[in-house]
Amino acid sequence: MPPEDPITSKEYAGIITFSDITNDAGAQFVLESKGKWWHAGYHLTTAIVGPTILTLPYVFRGLGWGLGFLCLTVMGLVTFYAYYLMSLVLDYCEKQGRRHIRFRELASDVLGSGWMFYFVVFIQTAINTGISIGAILFAGQCLQIMYTSLSPHGSLQLYQFIAMVTVVMIVLSQFPSFHSLRYINLGSLVLSLGYTFIVVGACIHAASSKNAPPRDYSLDSSEATRVFNAFNSISIIAAIFGNGILPEIQATLAPPATGKMFKGLLMCYTVIFITFYAIAVSGYYVFGNKSTSNILISFLPDNGPALAPDWVLGLAVIFILLQLFAIGLVYSQVAFEIMEKKSADPNHKMFSKRNLIPRIIVRTAYMVVCGFFAAMLPFFGDISSVVGAIGFIPLDFILPMLLYNMTHKPSKKSAVYLVNISIIVIFTGAGLLGAVSSFRKLILDAKQFKLFSNNIVD
């Protein structure tokens, strides 16, 4: 049974005190705390700003201009607020002598419930593994696109490109710690800005082309379909803004971490503001309700010439491919930390034979498993939308507010308390409806699913 006062007790399993970290290989090696605030900004940006932003014109297709802007802005403000509250909760616990470096331990400590620990473990593992699989899958698709453009009648299949990506990920996964990825994640930040500007430029080119598609921003004529599309779009936005690993990112900061995460969030959301709105507005303006779930595909109509130069689209694909490696690595860190906590020995050095060999084995095995599922399930995008609805919304839109109310205990009549409760209620409902809409799309697309297919279901 957990103690009656989970906020002040150090007896409950899962609480890590400063003295415990030296005996925890996962903390000491994978989540080593050496970073500056700007390093946290790099990690946050890589965790949030990825190729999924190319779906934003499609999101607007299900919402329209007004509701699209409203939902994108509200979700951005809510997630920034939620992540800031999460950092305050982590700072609060650190001042109490309990520096939490894992989401699952923070939740079980503050909420004082054993099942909460396993709930967060399950949700976080599903999200992180899912994104790692998705990153490998879509990196393989990027390679396939480049190969097809160079050799239209080539014999290589999607699963072979996925195998190539998996080999690269196995090599990159040997970076020993989250902190060691800081320059890779800086590169990821630059790449996200790069392909954003490329897409905006391509949209301007397409809009001025004589082959530009007619602009139609009308929504579906069926009211029921409009409702389902709207909530599916909201689930996609939630998944795009979500990360689910903020405590692990904050753990990479050199203590004391107080105040540093806020600066990292400001850096991250500056990039978000530039990239999200630029792609959403330019893509939806040009393609309207013909926008696809990947805006790059919209530049390649079934009939007629491409709406952007091949070299422009090719450069965007290369940038995306390179960033997918960084994203896969970031979201693998939680799995590596869990595995290394069991397999590594903190009494030996990080690169000692005792720790190096198990690290190579377990990380290679993890990437092989992710690569296998990526090849087997080339319809993983539909599954990811379901995971987003039932995973990201609880971790990023509900738990931060709940944890803040539990630790800081604001007055029940205060604006902060009422805002937090309102967000919890609204996004619980949105998550449930989003899950229904995502399951509906999964069922509708099921007839297109084929294991080890050469094409990804849109």
Side-chain angles (χ1 to χ4, degrees), residues 16 19-30 101-102 104-105 337 340-342 344-346:
I16 300 295
S19 61
D20 294 329
I21 292 179
T22 56
N23 298 317
D24 185 333
Q28 188 174 335
F29 297 154
V30 181
I101 60 173
R102 303 175 179 100
R104 57 191 183 272
E105 293 163 354
E337 178 270 315
E340 217 146 302
K341 185 177 181 180
K342 302 293 185 182
D345 185 347

Side-chain angles (χ1 to χ4, degrees), residues 29 345 348-359:
F29 297 154
D345 185 347
H348 290 76
K349 293 182 178 181
M350 182 185 293
F351 293 103
S352 66
K353 186 177 180 180
R354 164 63 183 83
N355 290 323
L356 182 61
I357 294 175
R359 181 186 304 131

Side-chain angles (χ1 to χ4, degrees), residues 219-252:
L219 301 177
D220 196 280
S221 58
S222 167
E223 184 175 353
T225 301
R226 287 201 303 272
V227 171
F228 279 119
N229 288 344
F231 279 104
N232 187 57
S233 294
I234 290 172
S235 295
I236 294 172
I237 297 176
I240 293 173
F241 272 110
N243 73 70
I245 55 173
L246 187 137
E248 285 80 5
I249 291 175
Q250 186 156 331
T252 66

Side-chain angles (χ1 to χ4, degrees), residues 1-9 11-12 109-112 406 409:
M1 293 292 289
E4 293 183 358
D5 185 0
I7 303 302
T8 60
S9 172
E11 299 174 2
Y12 185 64
D109 175 16
V110 175
L111 299 178
M406 292 286 290
K409 296 182 171 57

